[in-house]
Each structure stands twice: as C-alpha cells, then as structure tokens.
C-alpha cells in the first residue's frame, strides 16, 4: 500500500498508493494502476491504484454521505480550527510536499513547487476565515412578518482536479469542505502522488472520517462515474473545455450544479505609453511560469505598432536570460519539463503549425532546449523550448487555440479600438491584461474585455479574496473569494409569520 520513493534531495519518503476513504488508505477493488512519470526523465516514479469506477466510487460517495450530517452540524469554530490546523500541517511539511509535487509534475522545486505548497496553506487559511463568518440576510416587510435567508451546504461535492496545479487546485476546492459539504476528490492521472501524501495530514489535523476522500483514476472511468453519480450533489471541475462540456451534459442526470474552470487564450495588450520594462517582465511571467501550463496564461500578446519590434526583441532577450530551462531539482531552473510526452508533442505540433502558417520564431522553436539535448539523463524528459511566435494575427491557429505550454504569440495593432476587438476575438474568456499609463483606457478595457479576470499593468497575480473564473468557453461559476462560497451552498428563504391571520 506504500512505496519508498527516492527524492532528488537525497532522502526518501513513503508514497501511499491506495485510495483514501474514511481517513484510511484502502486497496482498490480492481487491479488497474496509474503510473506517475518523472516528467524530467520519462521514468516511472510509482504506480498508484486506480479506483474501480463502480465499487470504489460508490464506497467513497457512501463515506462522504455518511459523514455529511455530522460535518454539516459541526460548530463553525471547530470547523475553522480544523482548517487552520491543516494549513499549519501543510506549512510544517512544505519541504516534502514540494518535493513530491516537483517530482510528480516536473515543476521546478525552488522557483515553482514550493510556492504552490505555501499557496495551499494560504488558501486553507483564507477559507478558515470565512467558516465562522457565514451569514444570510433578514428582511422586515411589515411588523407581522420576519423573513430571512440561510446558506446551507449542498451535500457531497465531487472535485475533479487538473495536472497543472495538483495541490493548489485541490486547495481551492476545499471551499466545499469549509462551507460544510463533504467531498470526493479525483486527481489528474498525470499527477496522483501529492494529494495522496497530503491526505494523511487531513487525518492528522483531526477531520472526521469521510469528510475528505481521494480517488485516483482516469477521467473517462472514475471522473465520468463521479460526474454521473446520483449520490453526488455538485461537481467542481477544473480542466479542459472539451471535458467541461462533457461534464455539464453528464451532470444533468440529477441536475447537479457544476462549476467549470476551463481553458483560456487570454489577451495581453501592450500600449506605447506603458512602462516598457515592466510590461516585458510581466508579459513573460504571465505565460512562461509553470511551463506555460496556466489556464489564465496571457498567451496572446498584441503590441502597439510603434513599439512592436522593440518589444518582441526585448521580450526574447528577457526570456532567454531569466527563464532558465533545466531539471526541476536544480535551484536555478525556472522552466522544467511539460507534464507528459503527449503534451510535449502537442505543443511542438502547434509551434510547427505556427511556422507553417508564416509566423516568425523570435525565440525557441522546435527541438529540445540546448541544456537538455546534451543531457543523457534528461533528453528523454518532456521539455519544450520557451518560444515566441511573432507577426501573428487572429487568423492564425496558434492565436485561436489553447496551446497550454511555454509559447506566446505576438502580433500588432495601431488603435485602442482595434486592440479591444482583437482581444475579444476569441471563444475563450478567462484572463486578460493591459499595459498602459492611460487610466481611462485601462478602466474602459477592464469594463469591455470579455473575461472573468483583468490585470492592469500586471499579469496573473493572485489574491484569494478575488473570484477566479471565466466567461464564454472558459466556463462558469467562480472559485475563491466570497463569491466562491456561493458556488458551494444553497440559499434558503424562510418566512416567519408573527401574527398575520387569514
Ligand atoms: P482535462 O480536462 O483533460 O482533465 C482534467 C480532469 O478531468 C482530470 O482529472 C481528468 O482525469 C478529468 N476528466 C477527463 N475526462 C473526464 C470525463 N469524461 N469525465 C470526468 N472527468 C474527466 O484537462 P488537463 O489536460 O488535465 O488540464 C489542462 C486544461 O485545464 C487546460 O485546458 C487548462 O486551461 C485547464 N485549466 C483550467 C483552469 C481554470 O481554473 N480555469 C486551471 C487549470 C487548468
Ligand atoms: Mn508525473
């Protein structure tokens, strides 16, 4: 049920391999396994047990259903303290958790994975802060009537997680538990390890059995079974638009509500009056961090014509210098491998399509990064060169489809009206960024851009107090912030007759 896994730091840890149900690691009812690969070498790290889509999904849902009334009725102060305790345990275990996350996902340990884990603790603390502040409204239509609202948990929430931020996306979905629901989580098949390791901390913190359950498995089997389960009252999904569409259909079986955090192709506008150097740095960070596997990544950059050439050149120089490619354990490395061979090939095929359609390669391109091509150990890893495709217009495939890799496309515009039109010329609507010193233009853009998030003079900042989510094909519903609470509760209207007679 456990396997000793060597860590790049030299130590080792015990990786749980089973399912986590009722606060225990238990064996799957089937013999299917999910192999987790070290993305930087292509070698298998560990094989976890996949849940049986019928027997084990039922087991986990039963556990969560039985735990629900007790958890729902646990006093708020006690729930709050449990969340805080868990956040504290995450902080105390940050080194191991970050190493597991780095090993499993290929995220550079020092510059990426560690920040993710500290973010997990922060998200838990943020929602701990809401637990004892839940409130409804009351109304006084006349002296003989009192009316009020109460916000109640939905029951059992199915949480389906993507590979790009395995523990961070899990942590955002703890809103479900903070609002009094119990949950069944399914990890992405590429990254099953860290959530299983994290699960023991949930038990150690003192959460009652059944509140938090974890299943490994493929989307087509276990994910689908969760989406269609009649014992599940809501789906919180983060992943691709194509799967989001499927889930919305499947969930119709019992009309369970869904929140869908899907893909994006977020615009990034740079005006000639912007702080040039800052615009270069933020633009790079908005797409080249996390190997470009960022749903809200500002991957579609348009620059005002008078500074276009200068900007493309400066961006290429900055990315080349600062976004050091290499193995995730190296503390200098900022860009590690992509998650899988499939993704590596998919991203490269987009770069190829871009080149075939006449885009100019201003940085990167096809093939392995130099630092990797010469490494015996890492040349079989899933690396892609940080790439800038210039002279792109909205017509190019690379400007329309989500690449989900370290690739930015750059084109030009001359007027604000043209820039706004090009920004909104997308089926997606998740993030957006504008770089300008003109406050009127900046706020006008924030108002008119078709997106769930707008960054003015930055890109992909994160504050847990703000809602995260998209419009159009980027999905619906919000996570984080006070708005996030509403997606995991029902509001009930209560009428109290204080003496009105018929
Ligand atoms: P994916 O849609 O392939 O998988 C996401 C999850 O859904 C995985 O756990 C997978 O097993 C599961 N799944 C797959 N098929 C399923 C099915 N038929 N029924 C139920 N579950 C199923 O996405 P991915 O490739 O892991 O992640 C990349 C995508 O996620 C990108 O498009 C990215 O933009 C998006 N993403 C969005 C956000 C956001 O907040 N908007 C955040 C991160 C990633
Ligand atoms: Mn892996």
């Amino acid at each position: 049920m456990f396997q000793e896994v060597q860590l790049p730091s030299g130590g080792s840890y015990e990786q749980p391999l089973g399912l986590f149900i009722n606060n225990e690691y238990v064996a799957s009812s089937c013999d299917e396994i999910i192999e987790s690969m070290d993305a930087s070498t292509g070698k298998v790290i560990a094989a976890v047990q996949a849940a049986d889509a019928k027997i084990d999904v039922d087991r986990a849902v039963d556990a969560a259903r039985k735990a629900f009334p007790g958890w729902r009725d646990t006093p708020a102060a006690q729930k709050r303290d449990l969340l805080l305790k868990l956040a504290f345990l995450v902080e105390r275990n940050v080194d191991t958790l970050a190493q597991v996350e780095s090993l499993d996902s290929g995220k550079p340990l020092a510059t990426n994975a560690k920040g993710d884990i500290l973010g997990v603790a922060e998200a838990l603390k943020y929602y701990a802060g809401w637990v004892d502040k839940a409130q409804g409204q009351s109304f006084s239509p006349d002296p003989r009537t009192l009316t009020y609202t109460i916000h109640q948990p939905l029951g059992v929430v199915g949480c389906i997680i993507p590979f790009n931020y395995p523990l961070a996306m899990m942590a955002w979905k703890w809103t479900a538990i903070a609002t009094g629901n119990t949950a069944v989580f399914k990890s992405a098949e590429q990254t099953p390890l860290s959530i299983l390791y994290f699960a023991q901390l949930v038990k150690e913190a003192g959460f009652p059995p059944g509140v938090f359950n974890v299943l490994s498995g493929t989307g087509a089997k276990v994910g689908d079974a969760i989406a269609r389960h009649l014992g599940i009252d809501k789906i919180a999904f983060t992943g691709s638009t194509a799967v989001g569409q499927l889930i919305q259909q499947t969930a119709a079986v019992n009309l369970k509500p869904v929140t869908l955090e899907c893909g994006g192709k977020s615009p990034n506008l740079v005006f000639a009056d912007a702080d040039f150097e800052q615009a270069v740095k933020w633009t790079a960070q908005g797409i080249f961090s996390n190997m470009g596997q960022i749903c809200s990544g500002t991957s579609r950059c348009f620059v005002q014509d008078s500074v276009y050439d200068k900007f493309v050149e400066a961006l290429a120089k900055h990315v080349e210098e600062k976004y050091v490619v290499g193995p995730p354990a190296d503390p200098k490395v900022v860009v590690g491998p992509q998650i899988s061979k499939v993704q590596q090939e998919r991203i490269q095929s987009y770069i190829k399509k871009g080149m075939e359609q006449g885009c100019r390669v201003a940085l990167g391109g096809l093939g392995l990064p130099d630092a990797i091509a010469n490494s015996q150990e890492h040349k079989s890893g899933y690396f892609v060169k940080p790439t800038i495709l210039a002279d792109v217009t909205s017509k190019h495939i690379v400007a329309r489809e989500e690449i989900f890799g370290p690739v930015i496309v750059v084109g030009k515009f001359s007027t604000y009206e043209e820039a706004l039109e090009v920004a909104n010329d997308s089926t997606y609507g998740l993030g957006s960024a504008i770089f300008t010193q003109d406050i009127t233009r900046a706020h006008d853009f924030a108002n008119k851009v078709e997106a769930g998030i707008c960054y003015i003079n930055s890109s992909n900042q994160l504050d847990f107090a703000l809602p995260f989510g998209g419009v159009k094909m980027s999905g619906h519903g919000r996570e984080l912030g006070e708005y996030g609470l509403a997606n995991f509760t029902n509001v009930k209207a209560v009428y109290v007759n204080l003496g009105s007679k018929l």
Side-chain angles (χ1 to χ4, degrees):
M1 195 74 71
F2 294 84
Q3 179 187 325
E4 189 178 350
V5 171
Q6 300 300 318
L7 289 168
S9 67
S12 68
Y13 79 101
E14 290 289 313
Q15 173 63 49
L17 306 175
L19 317 173
F20 188 78
I21 298 175
N22 269 327
N23 276 359
E24 302 297 337
Y25 294 107
V26 296
S28 165
S29 308
C30 70
D31 48 19
E32 203 176 310
I33 56 163
I34 301 272
E35 280 185 336
S36 168
M37 320 295 279
D38 177 342
S40 75
T41 60
K43 297 202 180 95
V44 176
I45 305 165
V48 303
Q49 301 176 7
D52 180 82
K54 178 78 186 107
I55 303 170
D56 296 322
V57 174
D58 281 351
R59 266 162 96 195
V61 173
D62 282 352
R65 283 238 79 85
K66 290 211 175 74
F68 174 60
W71 179 244
R72 177 193 60 200
D73 300 337
T74 298
Q78 221 170 305
K79 288 198 198 100
R80 175 201 63 203
D81 288 353
L82 284 168
L83 270 111
L84 289 173
K85 178 89 189 292
L86 180 59
F88 165 75
L89 288 174
V90 169
E91 282 173 347
R92 206 164 71 185
N93 288 279
V94 61
D95 288 327
T96 309
L97 283 167
Q99 291 200 66
V100 177
E101 193 77 316
S102 170
L103 193 60
D104 197 12
S105 68
K107 285 172 194 269
L109 178 61
T111 57
N112 189 333
K114 192 153 180 194
D116 272 25
I117 303 304
L118 293 173
V120 169
E122 286 302 314
L124 292 169
K125 285 186 213 172
Y126 176 78
Y127 272 109
W130 274 114
V131 174
D132 58 353
K133 292 166 195 71
Q135 50 177 291
Q137 296 178 326
S138 76
F139 311 85
S140 306
D142 68 63
R144 283 152 309 161
T145 315
L146 166 66
T147 57
Y148 62 95
T149 60
I150 41 180
H151 295 262
Q152 301 185 303
L154 306 168
V156 178
V157 180
C159 300
I160 302 180
I161 314 177
F163 67 72
N164 59 337
Y165 290 95
L167 277 185
M169 288 300 109
M170 175 211 69
W172 292 18
K173 290 175 175 37
W174 266 76
T175 318
I177 294 174
T179 47
N181 303 280
T182 56
V184 175
F185 281 73
K186 191 197 85 65
S187 53
E189 46 272 54
Q190 301 88 345
T191 51
L193 301 186
S194 56
I195 190 172
L196 287 172
Y197 188 82
F198 165 89
Q200 63 197 301
L201 304 181
V202 177
K203 181 178 183 178
E204 188 181 341
F207 282 87
V211 169
F212 171 81
N213 306 279
V214 182
L215 302 176
S216 309
T218 62
K221 289 185 183 168
V222 180
D224 179 73
I226 289 173
R228 68 178 70 245
H229 205 289
L230 298 178
I232 289 185
D233 303 290
K234 185 221 158 76
I235 297 290
F237 168 80
T238 303
S240 62
T241 294
V243 173
Q245 288 177 295
L246 276 177
I247 287 181
Q248 182 159 335
Q249 277 179 21
T250 310
V253 63
N254 61 343
L255 283 187
K256 59 171 81 69
V258 293
T259 45
L260 303 175
E261 302 274 9
C262 300
K265 190 78 187 174
S266 302
N268 186 91
L269 304 183
V270 181
F271 284 82
D273 69 351
D275 178 329
F276 186 83
E277 206 179 307
Q278 283 299 307
V280 168
K281 289 182 179 172
W282 281 107
T283 298
Q285 160 145 318
I287 181 62
F288 292 108
S289 44
N290 208 46
M291 286 64 77
Q293 300 164 144
I294 320 168
C295 50
S296 49
T298 32
S299 54
R300 213 159 44 94
C301 178
F302 294 96
V303 184
Q304 202 157 25
D305 40 19
S306 59
V307 291
Y308 175 78
D309 290 327
K310 189 176 149 206
F311 186 87
V312 173
E313 198 180 310
L315 184 67
K317 186 160 176 279
H318 174 70
V319 174
E320 172 113 71
E321 281 171 14
K322 300 286 180 211
Y323 288 78
V324 179
V325 183
D330 182 337
K332 292 187 305 298
V333 163
V334 182
V335 183
Q338 307 306 129
I339 193 67
S340 64
K341 182 108 200 135
V342 173
Q343 281 299 105
Q344 181 194 35
E345 285 169 357
R346 190 166 165 267
I347 296 161
Q348 304 232 347
S349 80
Y350 272 115
I351 296 174
K352 192 151 166 272
K353 267 182 233 167
M355 291 162 70
E356 282 164 8
Q357 289 197 330
C359 306
R360 172 166 60 92
V361 179
L363 182 74
L366 294 169
L368 285 175
D370 294 343
I372 299 300
N374 304 321
S375 157
Q376 208 46 41
E377 190 185 359
H378 296 290
K379 69 180 182 202
S380 51
Y382 316 133
F383 291 85
V384 171
K385 289 179 187 168
T387 295
I388 300 173
L389 296 175
D391 307 342
V392 165
T393 70
S394 268
K395 289 194 305 291
H396 292 106
I397 290 170
V398 288
R400 308 207 69 82
E401 297 181 11
E402 184 183 48
I403 300 175
F404 218 57
V407 180
I408 190 169
V409 303
V410 192
K412 64 172 97 163
F413 66 83
S414 43
T415 65
Y416 170 59
E417 288 67 32
E418 201 188 308
L420 181 63
E421 197 182 314
V422 91
N424 285 336
D425 185 9
S426 173
T427 53
Y428 292 112
L430 188 52
S432 62
I434 182 168
F435 295 86
T436 179
Q437 298 296 329
D438 181 335
I439 59 167
T440 306
R441 181 198 281 152
H443 291 294
D444 190 70
F445 177 73
N447 186 30
K448 290 179 183 155
V449 68
E450 294 163 5
I453 308 161
C454 179
Y455 308 99
I456 298 175
N457 292 324
S458 76
S459 179
N460 278 286
Q461 289 183 293
L462 181 65
D463 185 332
F464 296 118
L466 275 100
F468 190 99
V471 299
K472 295 158 81 175
M473 298 294 272
S474 291
H476 51 78
R478 294 291 179 271
E479 288 186 333
L480 303 182
E482 188 176 359
Y483 295 95
L485 301 169
N487 285 289
F488 292 95
T489 51
N490 271 327
V491 61
K492 184 182 281 172
V494 183
Y495 291 73
V496 187
N497 183 350
L498 299 177
S500 192
K501 298 231 164 34
L502 285 177

